[in-house]
Coordinates of all heavy atoms in Angstrom, one line a residue:
Q367 N -17.5 -18.4 10.4 CA -16.1 -18.4 10.2 C -15.3 -18.3 11.5 O -15.5 -17.2 12.2 CB -15.6 -17.3 9.2 CG -16.4 -17.4 7.9 CD -15.7 -16.7 6.8 OE1 -14.6 -16.2 6.9 NE2 -16.3 -16.6 5.6
S371 N -8.7 -13.6 13.8 CA -8.8 -12.2 13.7 C -9.6 -11.7 15.0 O -10.8 -11.6 15.0 CB -9.5 -11.8 12.4 OG -10.2 -10.7 12.5
Q424 N -7.9 -15.3 3.7 CA -8.1 -13.8 3.9 C -7.5 -13.2 2.6 O -6.3 -13.2 2.4 CB -7.4 -13.3 5.1 CG -7.8 -11.9 5.4 CD -7.1 -11.3 6.7 OE1 -6.3 -12.0 7.3 NE2 -7.5 -10.1 7.0
G554 N -26.2 -8.8 7.1 CA -27.1 -9.7 6.4 C -26.3 -10.8 5.7 O -25.1 -10.7 5.4
V576 N -13.9 -17.8 3.2 CA -13.2 -16.7 2.7 C -13.7 -15.4 3.2 O -14.9 -15.2 3.4 CB -13.3 -16.6 1.1 CG1 -12.5 -15.5 0.6 CG2 -12.9 -17.9 0.5
Y577 N -12.8 -14.4 3.6 CA -13.2 -13.0 3.7 C -12.2 -12.1 3.1 O -11.0 -12.6 3.0 CB -13.7 -12.6 5.0 CG -12.8 -12.7 6.2 CD1 -11.6 -11.9 6.3 CD2 -13.2 -13.4 7.4 CE1 -10.8 -12.0 7.4 CE2 -12.3 -13.4 8.5 CZ -11.1 -12.7 8.5 OH -10.3 -12.8 9.6
D578 N -12.6 -10.9 2.7 CA -11.6 -10.0 2.1 C -11.1 -9.0 3.1 O -11.4 -9.1 4.3 CB -12.2 -9.4 0.8 CG -13.3 -8.4 1.1 OD1 -13.1 -7.5 2.0 OD2 -14.4 -8.6 0.5
T579 N -10.2 -8.1 2.6 CA -9.5 -7.3 3.5 C -10.1 -5.9 3.8 O -9.5 -5.0 4.4 CB -8.1 -7.0 3.0 OG1 -8.2 -6.8 1.6 CG2 -7.2 -8.2 3.2
R580 N -11.4 -5.7 3.3 CA -12.0 -4.4 3.5 C -12.5 -4.2 4.9 O -12.7 -5.2 5.6 CB -13.1 -4.2 2.5 CG -12.7 -3.9 1.1 CD -13.8 -3.9 0.2 NE -14.4 -5.2 0.0 CZ -15.5 -5.5 -0.7 NH1 -16.1 -4.5 -1.3 NH2 -16.0 -6.7 -0.7
F581 N -12.7 -3.0 5.3 CA -13.2 -2.6 6.7 C -14.6 -3.3 6.8 O -14.9 -3.9 7.8 CB -13.2 -1.1 6.8 CG -13.6 -0.7 8.2 CD1 -12.9 -0.9 9.3 CD2 -14.9 0.0 8.3 CE1 -13.3 -0.5 10.5 CE2 -15.3 0.4 9.6 CZ -14.5 0.2 10.7
V582 N -15.5 -3.0 5.8 CA -16.7 -3.7 5.8 C -16.6 -4.7 4.7 O -16.7 -4.4 3.5 CB -17.9 -2.7 5.5 CG1 -19.2 -3.5 5.4 CG2 -18.0 -1.7 6.6
L583 N -16.4 -6.0 5.1 CA -16.0 -7.0 4.2 C -17.1 -7.9 3.6 O -18.2 -8.0 4.2 CB -14.9 -7.8 4.8 CG -15.1 -8.2 6.3 CD1 -16.0 -9.4 6.4 CD2 -13.8 -8.5 7.0
D584 N -16.8 -8.7 2.6 CA -17.6 -9.8 2.1 C -17.0 -11.1 2.7 O -15.8 -11.2 2.8 CB -17.6 -9.9 0.6 CG -18.4 -8.8 -0.1 OD1 -19.2 -8.1 0.6 OD2 -18.2 -8.6 -1.3
Y585 N -17.9 -12.0 3.0 CA -17.4 -13.3 3.6 C -18.3 -14.4 3.0 O -19.5 -14.2 2.9 CB -17.3 -13.3 5.1 CG -18.6 -12.8 5.8 CD1 -19.6 -13.7 6.3 CD2 -18.8 -11.4 6.0 CE1 -20.7 -13.2 6.9 CE2 -20.0 -11.0 6.6 CZ -20.9 -11.8 7.0 OH -22.1 -11.4 7.6
Y586 N -17.7 -15.5 2.8 CA -18.5 -16.6 2.2 C -17.9 -17.9 2.4 O -16.7 -18.1 2.7 CB -18.8 -16.4 0.7 CG -17.6 -16.0 -0.1 CD1 -16.8 -17.0 -0.7 CD2 -17.2 -14.7 -0.4 CE1 -15.7 -16.7 -1.4 CE2 -16.1 -14.4 -1.1 CZ -15.4 -15.4 -1.6 OH -14.3 -15.1 -2.4
F596 N -23.3 -16.4 1.7 CA -22.6 -15.2 1.4 C -23.1 -14.0 2.2 O -24.3 -13.7 2.3 CB -22.8 -14.8 -0.1 CG -21.9 -13.7 -0.7 CD1 -20.8 -14.0 -1.4 CD2 -22.3 -12.4 -0.5 CE1 -20.0 -13.0 -1.9 CE2 -21.5 -11.4 -1.0 CZ -20.3 -11.7 -1.7
G597 N -22.2 -13.4 2.9 CA -22.5 -12.2 3.8 C -21.7 -11.0 3.4 O -20.6 -11.2 2.9
G598 N -22.2 -9.8 3.7 CA -21.4 -8.7 3.4 C -22.1 -7.4 3.7 O -23.3 -7.4 4.0
G599 N -21.4 -6.3 3.7 CA -22.0 -5.0 4.1 C -22.4 -5.0 5.5 O -22.3 -5.9 6.2
A600 N -22.9 -3.8 5.9 CA -23.4 -3.7 7.3 C -24.2 -2.4 7.4 O -24.0 -1.4 6.7 CB -22.2 -3.5 8.3
Y602 N -25.3 0.3 9.8 CA -25.0 0.9 11.1 C -26.1 1.8 11.7 O -25.9 2.4 12.7 CB -23.7 1.6 11.1 CG -22.5 0.7 10.8 CD1 -21.9 0.7 9.6 CD2 -22.0 -0.2 11.8 CE1 -20.8 -0.1 9.3 CE2 -21.0 -1.0 11.5 CZ -20.3 -1.0 10.3 OH -19.3 -1.8 10.1
L614 N -27.3 -8.0 -1.4 CA -26.2 -8.8 -1.5 C -26.0 -9.5 -2.9 O -24.8 -9.8 -3.2 CB -26.2 -9.9 -0.4 CG -26.0 -9.5 1.0 CD1 -26.0 -10.6 2.0 CD2 -24.6 -8.7 1.1
R617 N -23.1 -8.0 -5.0 CA -21.8 -8.3 -4.4 C -21.4 -9.7 -4.7 O -20.3 -10.1 -5.0 CB -21.8 -8.1 -2.9 CG -22.1 -6.6 -2.5 CD -22.3 -6.5 -1.0 NE -21.0 -6.4 -0.3 CZ -20.5 -5.3 0.4 NH1 -21.3 -4.2 0.5 NH2 -19.4 -5.3 1.0
R644 N -13.2 -1.4 19.1 CA -13.4 -2.8 18.7 C -12.8 -3.8 19.8 O -12.8 -5.0 19.6 CB -12.7 -3.1 17.4 CG -13.3 -2.2 16.3 CD -13.3 -3.0 15.0 NE -14.4 -2.4 14.1 CZ -15.0 -3.0 13.2 NH1 -14.8 -4.2 12.9 NH2 -16.0 -2.4 12.5
G663 N -18.4 -8.2 15.3 CA -18.5 -9.1 14.1 C -17.5 -10.2 14.0 O -17.4 -10.9 13.1
H664 N -16.6 -10.3 15.1 CA -15.6 -11.4 15.1 C -15.8 -12.2 16.4 O -14.9 -12.3 17.2 CB -14.2 -10.9 15.0 CG -13.9 -10.2 13.7 ND1 -13.5 -10.9 12.6 CD2 -14.0 -8.9 13.3 CE1 -13.4 -10.1 11.6 NE2 -13.7 -8.8 12.0
E720 N -10.9 4.2 3.7 CA -10.5 2.9 3.1 C -10.5 3.1 1.6 O -9.6 2.5 0.9 CB -11.4 1.8 3.5 CG -10.9 0.5 3.0 CD -11.8 -0.6 3.5 OE1 -12.9 -0.7 2.9 OE2 -11.4 -1.3 4.4

Side-chain angles (χ1 to χ4, degrees):
Q367 303 201 8
S371 145
Q424 186 179 8
V576 182
Y577 61 60
D578 68 52
T579 42
R580 284 173 295 176
F581 183 69
V582 178
L583 43 80
D584 285 346
Y585 49 98
Y586 50 85
F596 190 100
Y602 293 108
L614 288 183
R617 299 172 81 118
R644 301 215 157 204
H664 294 276
E720 185 179 75

